[in-house]
Amino acid sequence: MKKNFVRLFALLMAAMLILSGCGQTAQTTDEPAAETETTEAAANPILTYAIGSDTGNTLNPLTADDRYGLMTCHLLYSPLYYIYPDGRVEYILAESFTPSEDGLQYTLKLKEGLKWSDDTPLTADDVIFTYTKNNEQSENLFVGGKPIEMEKVDDLTVIFKLPSVSASTMELLSAEISVLPKHYFEPKNSFDINMLEEKIVASGPYVLDEYKTGQYLKFSANPNYANGVAKIETVIFRITENNDTASLALQNGEVDVWVGLPDLLTPFQGNENFNIYNYSEGRVAYMRLNPASPNMQDKQYREGILYAVDRSEIMQAAYSDESFYKLSYSFLPPSNQYYSEDVQKWEQDVEKAKELTANGAKTLKLCHIAEDAVQTNQALTIQKELADIGITVELVGVNQAAYMKVAYDKTNTEYDIFLGGYVMGVDPEIFSTLFVSTKDNWIVYNNPTIDELFAKGNATLDAAEREAIYTELQKLVSEEAIFYPFGSNLRTLVTSARVEGVDAAELVPIYTFGEWAELSLK
């Protein structure tokens, strides 16, 4: 999954940070969050989740694309339905979403009696408003270069009309498009929310009560949530950027949920006070050479850079244990049904790398997320590998907000190399937002043939035809020597033993829990 998905998605810049979780609910006494939580713990069930970076004062549900911003939106807003990684559909705001026989229309039926957190009815007008605003922002939801049209039948019914057949329609219109309140956003003329000053109108399992910059976000259960009131009354995202601090918070019982790395699990393994979950997000970690950089204009030079590095060494440095990752060679994760290794893999060849880079730049700048221990280790390994062919790499670690600003600036020429990672969707069309020039184009590289192949792959329902198209796409992307995947890693979640309902909530990409309302505390 996926922010548009997977904006994803995508994209996401998924940080495998050392967070924490366990036993009691009181925060450490030197933070304002501690006082808030301590005074309420006796009366209210509170779950504290340590997150690895600040979401920032401003939240925009249409453009949020970092992991913790997406997690916040997942708590606050509901989609029509949610598609799990195995393809199951869970209806949330929607009662049903039914295609016509020719696949050119989908009829949405909303559940009856839906309300926003301010008790305003949630209706078809909110749905049409949301998808219209998404289409004004980008062409991510377009089919064949044209937007999907919508017709309101009544307050509970909307007909989506496709300009042509689209194999990815169900996923395209699913979880990453959270329905937004028209009555709240339309008068603002903006989707930016100042979380320090504004009260958010929500439809998700929780509403935002309080945000303290650099400290925490506090949420309370939304009584109007479509799937029923959450079992845990209060959730706190505690901002814990330092790995040592987060690890100690887990061990000291100051938080309940922690996401960490394999080499830091020893204190919690075999310990009855904790539960450890390892699961796949279908995440792809990668290195991207910046096409806007003057140093990366020559394809032969780019090829030399890729021949210099070793994905196996890079992933081992990042995760320490081979059981926590799998090497991969495509922009699709190994779990995708169309994943192919019939691509240019750029296996390490130091002598060829020296030859191909002989006439190019000898100093490069690599940008990565400073608070992400995984990316830091990957960057150090790449620095060493390029030094072996006579290229000096300056490592520049920045916080996640700064990274998102520069990494996806198509005109940025300051950096030559970016590290990243994304979690997208199930259907390969969702990955078009990475490469297609008329969409988000997260990889920032334009190739008309890539645009054309993605369009063809989405325009047919024939599985064999789609497989041939996506196999060719994977080959082409690899041959461009811009995008170099490392592999796919497992995500490790540790909870205190008092956290129950994890199986019912279901572990999912990006958001950690698919249905937060199912979690409970002993």
Side-chain angles (χ1 to χ4, degrees):
M1 305 164 40
K2 343 141 181 174
K3 169 86 174 159
N4 268 14
F5 177 107
V6 157
R7 278 195 215 63
L8 251 188
F9 112 155
L11 213 265
L12 284 65
M13 297 310 95
M16 299 297 297
L17 303 175
I18 309 310
L19 310 175
S20 53
C22 153
Q24 50 200 32
T25 57
Q27 299 258 7
T28 52
T29 56
D30 59 346
E31 298 180 3
E35 181 178 350
T36 300
E37 189 172 351
T38 301
T39 57
E40 297 182 2
N44 303 328
I46 298 174
L47 180 141
T48 302
Y49 186 134
I51 65 173
S53 64
D54 199 337
T55 57
N57 294 350
T58 302
L59 180 71
N60 185 323
L62 286 186
T63 60
D65 49 18
D66 65 283
R67 181 181 291 274
Y68 304 118
L70 294 174
M71 284 175 58
T72 298
C73 287
H74 186 62
L75 286 188
L76 297 175
Y77 302 105
S78 293
L80 297 174
Y81 51 88
Y82 185 88
I83 300 179
Y84 282 88
D86 62 5
R88 287 176 297 115
V89 177
E90 178 193 359
Y91 288 102
I92 301 177
L93 298 180
E95 183 71 41
S96 61
F97 194 64
T98 309
S100 60
E101 287 189 11
D102 61 8
L104 292 176
Q105 290 191 5
Y106 283 74
T107 300
L108 163 70
K109 285 285 188 181
L110 290 172
K111 294 177 179 177
E112 294 187 5
L114 295 175
K115 291 183 179 181
W116 294 98
S117 58
D118 64 356
D119 290 332
T120 301
L122 192 160
T123 70
D125 292 329
D126 297 304
V127 174
I128 293 173
F129 173 77
T130 298
Y131 284 86
T132 299
K133 292 304 178 182
N134 270 275
N135 286 337
E136 290 175 1
Q137 296 249 124
S138 74
E139 295 187 9
N140 290 344
L141 304 181
F142 281 34
V143 173
K146 299 178 181 178
I148 298 173
E149 297 181 355
M150 292 163 287
E151 176 187 333
K152 177 182 176 182
V153 178
D154 54 44
D155 280 348
L156 299 180
T157 311
V158 177
I159 296 176
F160 290 81
K161 300 179 179 181
L162 278 63
S164 57
V165 171
S166 168
S168 62
T169 300
M170 277 293 290
E171 190 165 3
L172 196 67
L173 300 177
S174 67
E176 303 323 311
I177 309 299
S178 296
V179 176
L180 303 176
K182 179 180 179 180
H183 71 284
Y184 177 79
F185 283 107
E186 192 170 50
K188 284 166 56 70
N189 295 315
S190 169
F191 288 86
D192 289 332
I193 303 169
N194 187 320
M195 295 194 297
L196 291 171
E197 300 174 359
E198 298 181 67
K199 183 175 180 61
I200 300 175
V201 175
S203 63
Y206 288 89
V207 295
L208 180 67
D209 285 342
E210 187 178 13
Y211 165 72
K212 291 290 186 182
T213 303
Q215 297 178 44
Y216 63 90
L217 296 88
K218 180 184 174 185
F219 307 87
S220 63
N222 177 10
N224 293 336
Y225 179 46
N227 279 356
V229 180
K231 296 176 182 178
I232 298 176
E233 184 171 333
T234 303
V235 168
I236 291 177
F237 287 174
R238 173 180 167 183
I239 300 163
T240 314
E241 296 184 355
N242 181 275
N243 291 347
D244 292 333
T245 301
S247 180
L248 286 173
L250 171 65
Q251 296 174 59
N252 293 337
E254 297 168 2
V255 295
D256 301 290
V257 182
W258 166 71
V259 175
L261 299 175
D263 58 351
L264 293 171
L265 295 179
T266 302
F268 319 108
Q269 292 171 327
N271 189 329
E272 64 181 8
N273 295 315
F274 304 95
N275 292 314
I276 299 177
Y277 306 85
N278 294 312
Y279 68 103
S280 173
E281 293 187 292
R283 181 177 183 267
V284 176
Y286 66 88
M287 175 179 74
R288 175 170 67 84
L289 307 185
N290 182 9
S293 166
N295 293 329
M296 294 297 173
Q297 298 306 302
D298 179 44
K299 185 172 185 289
Q300 179 175 282
Y301 179 83
R302 300 199 306 266
E303 292 175 350
I305 296 296
L306 300 192
Y307 276 123
V309 299
D310 180 354
R311 58 172 53 83
S312 178
E313 187 176 25
I314 292 168
M315 290 296 276
Q316 181 65 23
Y319 295 104
S320 305
D321 187 336
E322 291 183 7
S323 65
F324 285 88
Y325 66 86
K326 180 177 182 178
L327 301 182
S328 62
Y329 306 90
S330 164
F331 66 83
L332 294 177
S335 57
N336 192 280
Q337 64 173 320
Y338 295 109
Y339 172 79
S340 172
E341 292 192 359
D342 183 18
V343 298
Q344 170 58 269
K345 296 179 181 178
W346 306 108
E347 302 284 13
Q348 188 180 47
D349 187 330
V350 173
E351 293 308 313
K352 183 178 288 189
K354 289 179 179 178
E355 177 185 342
L356 293 174
T357 60
N359 298 320
K362 298 302 178 185
T363 302
L364 301 174
K365 291 180 71 172
L366 182 154
C367 182
H368 66 97
I369 299 174
E371 63 265 28
D372 187 340
V374 165
Q375 283 197 9
T376 299
N377 289 337
Q378 290 172 338
L380 289 168
T381 305
I382 293 167
Q383 183 184 52
K384 172 187 173 297
E385 291 170 339
L386 291 181
D388 291 341
I389 65 167
I391 295 178
T392 300
V393 178
E394 177 187 351
L395 304 182
V396 182
V398 298
N399 65 35
Q400 184 154 304
Y403 178 92
M404 299 304 291
K405 183 176 181 179
V406 299
Y408 303 113
D409 177 358
K410 297 176 176 61
T411 64
N412 181 280
T413 59
E414 180 180 2
Y415 300 105
D416 305 291
I417 303 172
F418 292 99
L419 297 186
Y422 55 77
V423 179
M424 303 294 283
V426 178
D427 193 285
E429 164 61 16
I430 305 302
F431 293 78
S432 65
T433 59
L434 296 170
F435 301 100
V436 172
S437 60
T438 57
K439 298 189 177 184
D440 283 338
N441 191 14
W442 295 114
I443 304 304
V444 195
Y445 188 71
N446 297 333
N447 183 319
T449 305
I450 289 177
D451 291 0
E452 180 184 350
L453 285 172
F454 268 114
K456 286 177 62 178
N458 192 43
T460 177
L461 303 180
D462 184 273
E465 186 177 352
R466 296 192 87 202
E467 182 176 9
I469 291 169
Y470 291 118
T471 297
E472 180 62 26
L473 255 172
Q474 290 169 84
K475 287 181 180 179
L476 180 57
V477 168
S478 181
E479 290 168 0
E480 291 297 290
I482 286 290
F483 177 81
Y484 180 89
F486 302 143
S488 186
N489 60 273
L490 294 180
R491 182 170 169 82
T492 299
L493 181 80
V494 183
T495 71
S496 68
R498 79 188 193 107
V499 178
E500 297 184 318
V502 172
D503 290 341
E506 295 203 47
L507 296 172
V508 300
I510 300 291
Y511 312 128
T512 307
F513 304 110
E515 181 51 271
W516 282 73
E518 289 290 344
L519 295 173
S520 60
L521 298 172
K522 289 182 181 178

